[in-house]
Amino acid sequence: MADVLIVGAGAAGLMAAGAAARLGHAVTVLEHTEQPAQKILVTGKGRCNLTNACDEEEFLRHVRTNPRFLYSSLYAFPPARTMELFESLGVALKVERGRRVFPVSDKAAEVRQALLTYASGAAIVQDGAAGLLLEPLEAPAPDGGKKAKKGPAFRCVGVKGASGREYRADCVLVATGGLSYPVTGSTGDGYKLARQAGHTIVEPVPSLVSLVSHDPDCKKMMGLALKNVKLTLFEDAKAVWDEQGEMLFTHFGISGPLTLSASSHLGDMKKHRYRVEIDLKPALSDEQLYDRITRDFALLANHAAQGALVKLLPASMQPVMVERWGIDPATRANQITREQKRELVRLCKHWAVPIDGRGDLAHAVITAGAYRCGRWTPAPWPAKKPRASISRGKCWTWTPTPAGTTCRSPSAPHRPSRPICTKA
């Protein structure tokens, strides 16, 4: 059996450690913080949304980009297996709206403890990873027996710890996570290790993050949470996403579950203009809302414009609506014209908020962008073309998990092997 070294004791690292230990391997996990898996404690607002109770095909339909990337791992370990694992570890589960799976206790700490129990067969060492230990390896020859014209190849034989200690192993797995919530230990160390191994990094950006808007109305309503509203995201003039749920106005823009989901659909903000439109009354058609407003104004006939909105909108939104509506605040409800009511309907169904930027990495739920992964086969450099900046001689498969990446030999997929990384 092999010695397995895992960098990072988050959810991915602990899962990998538990699986490897159960196969009889000697497992060491490096964790640079005092407490492993701290980020689990802040997931799902402290409740930890484990997975969704759906089959693989439905799960993949909700993957934002390149769902084929997850085919092999998701079919090998589908959501049902995830639920079975945690229930076997003593975590009672429940399924809520949207088929989201939570622990019955509503405590993320229970999930964290279950993972620590699962990985109890591994040795967790408090130490960071300063760099990979690489040893030269003779480059593989392509068909024909001639050596490929490429950079030197290296075998990863371990990790040099931040303490200066060297940890050697037959298999090294990097499971350090991204850059979101660095206070929990996600400091981007994995990107440095990947660069050292010769891999290209896609610049990390915030994903599932609050959105920045310079619209002063957001600050006027900060702290206002809206429930059962529909949010639509527009890229230039095209609607690219919509969903019904909850959102929140903040001093810098908007946040909440709907906003986080919408943020994953943002593209290059230098090339496109984005805005969201909020339907405050998605259950009502324009005509139904017009009739309701007419009835409200009849009952509140002698109230001024803002007072006439008391049944329609939250208190902190009423003065902002009157200002955006453009009506004289002193106008009585029974003096409001049909055209003015139509304009109120339009504002309620299409409350626009311009989007000027994403929130920062430190407050993103996850980060998008990481390693360029794929299977590389040996190939000689074209005789009349300059060398590219990325080696074409990589011959191993990198298999990413949500927060970890390992390198394994295609010839031995069912047992840990000594990973090989090639540098240009």
Side-chain angles (χ1 to χ4, degrees):
M1 291 297 174
D3 290 325
V4 178
L5 178 63
I6 299 171
V7 183
L14 293 177
M15 281 286 290
R22 277 162 171 71
L23 291 174
H25 301 294
V27 183
T28 301
V29 184
L30 298 186
E31 172 55 45
H32 69 117
T33 66
E34 293 183 2
Q35 296 294 328
Q38 293 184 61
K39 189 177 290 186
I40 291 175
L41 301 178
V42 300
T43 59
K45 297 182 180 179
R47 299 170 59 217
C48 190
N49 180 194
L50 280 170
T51 184
N52 277 57
C54 61
D55 60 25
E56 300 88 334
E57 288 297 325
E58 183 175 352
F59 192 102
L60 289 168
R61 283 198 294 271
H62 292 277
V63 176
R64 173 68 182 90
T65 57
N66 193 19
R68 288 180 296 178
F69 174 78
L70 289 175
Y71 274 3
S72 59
S73 58
L74 190 62
Y75 276 91
F77 200 83
R81 287 277 303 280
T82 302
M83 295 172 68
E84 290 173 4
L85 173 63
F86 280 95
E87 287 175 334
S88 72
L89 293 170
V91 181
L93 302 177
K94 61 180 178 179
V95 180
E96 297 188 356
R97 179 177 56 83
R99 285 185 280 186
R100 296 174 298 164
V101 179
F102 291 90
V104 170
S105 66
D106 284 331
K107 294 180 179 179
E110 186 178 3
V111 175
R112 174 179 176 270
Q113 185 55 51
L115 282 172
L116 289 170
T117 300
Y118 183 63
S120 59
I124 300 179
V125 179
Q126 187 180 345
D127 199 354
L132 300 176
L133 297 177
L134 302 175
E135 289 184 352
L137 181 73
E138 185 178 352
D143 293 340
K146 295 181 180 180
K147 289 187 177 181
K149 296 179 181 179
K150 60 184 185 61
F154 294 85
R155 175 191 291 113
C156 180
V157 296
V159 169
K160 182 177 181 180
S163 64
R165 178 182 171 186
E166 292 188 353
Y167 302 88
R168 293 182 173 264
D170 300 302
C171 182
V172 175
L173 185 146
V174 176
T176 55
L179 281 167
S180 61
Y181 292 109
V183 68
T184 64
S186 296
T187 53
D189 292 346
Y191 302 139
K192 301 173 187 176
L193 300 179
R195 284 193 181 97
Q196 184 189 354
H199 288 270
T200 302
I201 302 298
V202 179
E203 190 64 27
V205 297
S207 187
L208 297 185
V209 68
S210 299
L211 297 177
V212 176
S213 176
H214 298 153
D215 183 353
D217 287 346
C218 293
K219 190 171 184 178
K220 293 174 185 175
M221 297 185 289
M222 65 178 181
L224 172 61
L226 298 177
K227 297 183 178 181
N228 297 320
V229 298
K230 180 180 177 182
L231 188 145
T232 303
L233 175 69
F234 287 84
E235 182 180 84
D236 299 324
K238 180 182 178 182
V240 295
W241 178 87
D242 66 80
E243 191 171 297
Q244 189 169 328
E246 302 177 12
M247 63 160 294
L248 173 73
F249 287 104
T250 72
H251 66 284
F252 57 79
I254 57 175
S255 188
L258 283 179
T259 304
L260 298 183
S261 296
S263 70
S264 68
H265 293 260
L266 292 175
D268 189 338
M269 300 195 70
K270 294 180 180 178
K271 295 181 180 179
H272 302 284
R273 296 180 65 86
Y274 290 92
R275 75 177 192 279
V276 299
E277 287 189 1
I278 305 164
D279 184 346
L280 300 171
K281 303 294 177 183
L284 301 177
S285 67
D286 287 14
E287 287 305 316
Q288 289 171 329
L289 182 55
Y290 179 88
D291 291 341
R292 174 184 166 172
I293 289 172
T294 299
R295 292 194 299 271
D296 286 351
F297 287 3
L299 290 172
L300 303 167
N302 293 319
H303 286 68
Q306 181 174 324
L309 302 177
V310 67
K311 293 179 176 292
L312 187 67
L313 300 172
S316 59
M317 197 174 203
Q318 293 166 18
V320 182
M321 176 63 83
V322 171
E323 184 178 353
R324 197 176 275 206
W325 193 7
I327 194 172
D328 183 350
T331 304
R332 300 290 180 183
N334 58 5
Q335 297 174 325
I336 296 174
T337 66
R338 181 178 302 175
E339 290 73 20
Q340 289 171 327
K341 285 188 283 186
R342 291 289 182 193
E343 175 62 12
L344 179 58
V345 169
R346 188 191 69 79
L347 289 171
C348 287
K349 300 292 285 184
H350 304 277
W351 184 276
V353 179
I355 302 302
D356 299 297
R358 297 178 174 90
D360 58 28
L361 278 167
H363 297 92
V365 176
I366 59 174
T367 46
Y371 321 118
R372 286 195 187 278
C373 301
R375 181 164 179 158
W376 298 74
T377 53
W381 291 103
K384 297 184 179 180
K385 291 184 180 180
R387 290 196 177 197
S389 59
I390 304 173
S391 169
R392 296 182 59 194
K394 295 173 183 173
C395 56
W396 299 78
T397 303
W398 282 74
T399 308
T401 61
T405 302
T406 185
C407 186
R408 70 172 185 261
S409 164
S411 62
H414 301 299
R415 58 184 175 82
S417 60
R418 182 163 295 190
I420 294 177
C421 304
T422 306
K423 298 180 71 175

